[in-house]
Amino acid sequence: MRPPAPPTVVMPSERVVVLLSCALSALGSGLLVATHALWPDLRSRARRLLLFLSLADLLSAASYFYGVLQDFSGPSWDCVLQGALSTFANTSSFFWTVAIALYLYLSIVHAARGPQYDHLFCTFHVVSWGVPLAITVAAVSLKKIGYDASDVSVGWCWIDLEAEDRALWMLLTGKLWELLAYVTLPVIYILIKKHINRAGIGNTFQGGANCIMFVFCTRTVRTRLFSLCCCCCSSQPSTESPAGPPEVLASSKIGDCQESRRTPVELPST
């Protein structure tokens, strides 16, 4: 058995940058998962797809963080485990990214909404979890994942450089799906853009469209805005105010405002 390839020197500054990037990615993914868990009224179909993408990104960031922190110097069981987890999570992330773009295309261009399109989500799950899992299991079973001496990574394990068909497995375990995503995503979003332009909505209403989608169509934000408007209206001086000490009237209005903020009016969800 040949000795392991000498590792490529990774500068400490490079490790710090990678670790920081992994930490920020994990933090962002964790916040997305937390908002989905804390606020049930925000669990739309598109946000559910974003949840699964966030879970894949969270696992990917954690595996990369461990690989860089461990600083592998040769083949080991945890090197294979880390390489397998990062391969599965990274490949799944590409599939979920394309799934979100495809869902937006079908929803906007073809108006694919309602329970009759629930089979789309089943297909997304089968493809986005199943295909990466099958590829990862095959790579581990054939002993293709292992120590790569940081020649094709920055401190973590991926495809074993001793494998004769390593270029093929590098494509299957990530690079092929990455390239397909880079080609597919712009095409899908260009088609969505063309459809939006044909509808009369262009660049001049981007801010308004975002406000409608993420403010007025979100019940939690809408309820809080309504409560705030009620507080502002109640604080305005009335033209026919009953006689009485001004201090009593002011304290009564402040109490009403605070009560309104504590108990927001529930509006019907869109």
Side-chain angles (χ1 to χ4, degrees):
M1 181 177 179
R2 290 184 296 177
T8 300
V9 177
V10 180
M11 302 298 294
S13 59
E14 294 175 330
R15 294 187 182 277
V16 170
V17 170
V18 174
L19 290 174
L20 181 61
S21 176
C22 291
L24 293 176
S25 178
L27 178 61
S29 301
L31 287 176
L32 287 171
V33 174
T35 55
H36 188 86
L38 291 175
W39 295 320
D41 53 335
L42 298 181
R43 296 173 187 174
S44 63
R45 291 174 179 267
R47 290 180 186 271
R48 274 194 293 165
L49 294 178
L50 184 61
L51 170 67
F52 301 128
L53 174 61
S54 300
L55 291 174
D57 289 337
L58 183 61
L59 179 59
S60 177
S63 62
Y64 286 144
F65 189 91
Y66 177 81
V68 177
L69 196 64
Q70 185 70 12
D71 192 15
F72 297 109
S73 58
S76 62
W77 67 269
D78 56 343
C79 173
V80 175
L81 178 61
Q82 181 268 316
L85 289 177
S86 61
T87 296
F88 168 76
N90 205 33
T91 306
S92 180
S93 178
F94 289 129
F95 277 98
W96 279 115
T97 303
V98 175
I100 292 175
L102 184 60
Y103 174 76
L104 292 176
Y105 171 78
L106 294 175
S107 299
I108 296 174
V109 179
H110 296 283
R113 302 183 185 90
Q116 64 270 28
Y117 292 98
D118 286 342
H119 66 278
L120 280 175
F121 285 80
C122 296
T123 303
F124 290 155
H125 279 287
V126 171
V127 174
S128 300
W129 296 126
V131 174
L133 181 61
I135 293 174
T136 303
V137 170
V140 173
S141 301
L142 297 175
K143 298 181 178 180
K144 303 299 180 180
I145 294 182
Y147 180 66
D148 64 358
S150 296
D151 281 353
V152 290
S153 65
V154 190
W156 57 83
C157 293
W158 187 29
I159 298 299
D160 190 356
L161 290 182
E162 301 299 325
E164 295 181 356
D165 51 353
R166 56 185 177 273
L168 173 63
W169 283 99
M170 287 178 186
L171 289 173
L172 291 176
T173 57
K175 293 303 179 183
L176 175 62
W177 315 114
E178 183 178 355
L179 293 173
L180 287 177
Y182 290 155
V183 173
T184 304
L185 292 176
V187 172
I188 293 177
Y189 287 118
I190 288 174
L191 292 176
I192 295 175
K193 175 69 173 176
K194 290 178 63 177
H195 175 80
I196 292 176
N197 286 338
R198 285 197 299 266
I201 302 175
N203 293 334
T204 57
F205 197 64
Q206 286 182 352
N210 291 335
C211 179
I212 293 173
M213 180 177 297
F214 295 106
V215 176
F216 297 116
C217 291
T218 303
R219 189 178 65 182
T220 302
V221 180
R222 189 175 61 241
T223 302
R224 293 171 185 174
L225 285 176
F226 186 82
S227 301
L228 182 61
C229 290
C230 290
C231 293
C232 293
C233 291
S234 63
S235 63
Q236 301 253 346
S238 177
T239 56
E240 296 181 0
S241 59
E247 294 81 3
V248 176
L249 295 177
S251 62
S252 175
K253 292 174 182 178
I254 293 174
D256 293 340
C257 181
Q258 291 176 346
E259 181 64 26
S260 175
R261 289 187 179 179
R262 285 195 297 268
T263 310
V265 179
E266 287 293 332
L267 298 180
S269 177
T270 57

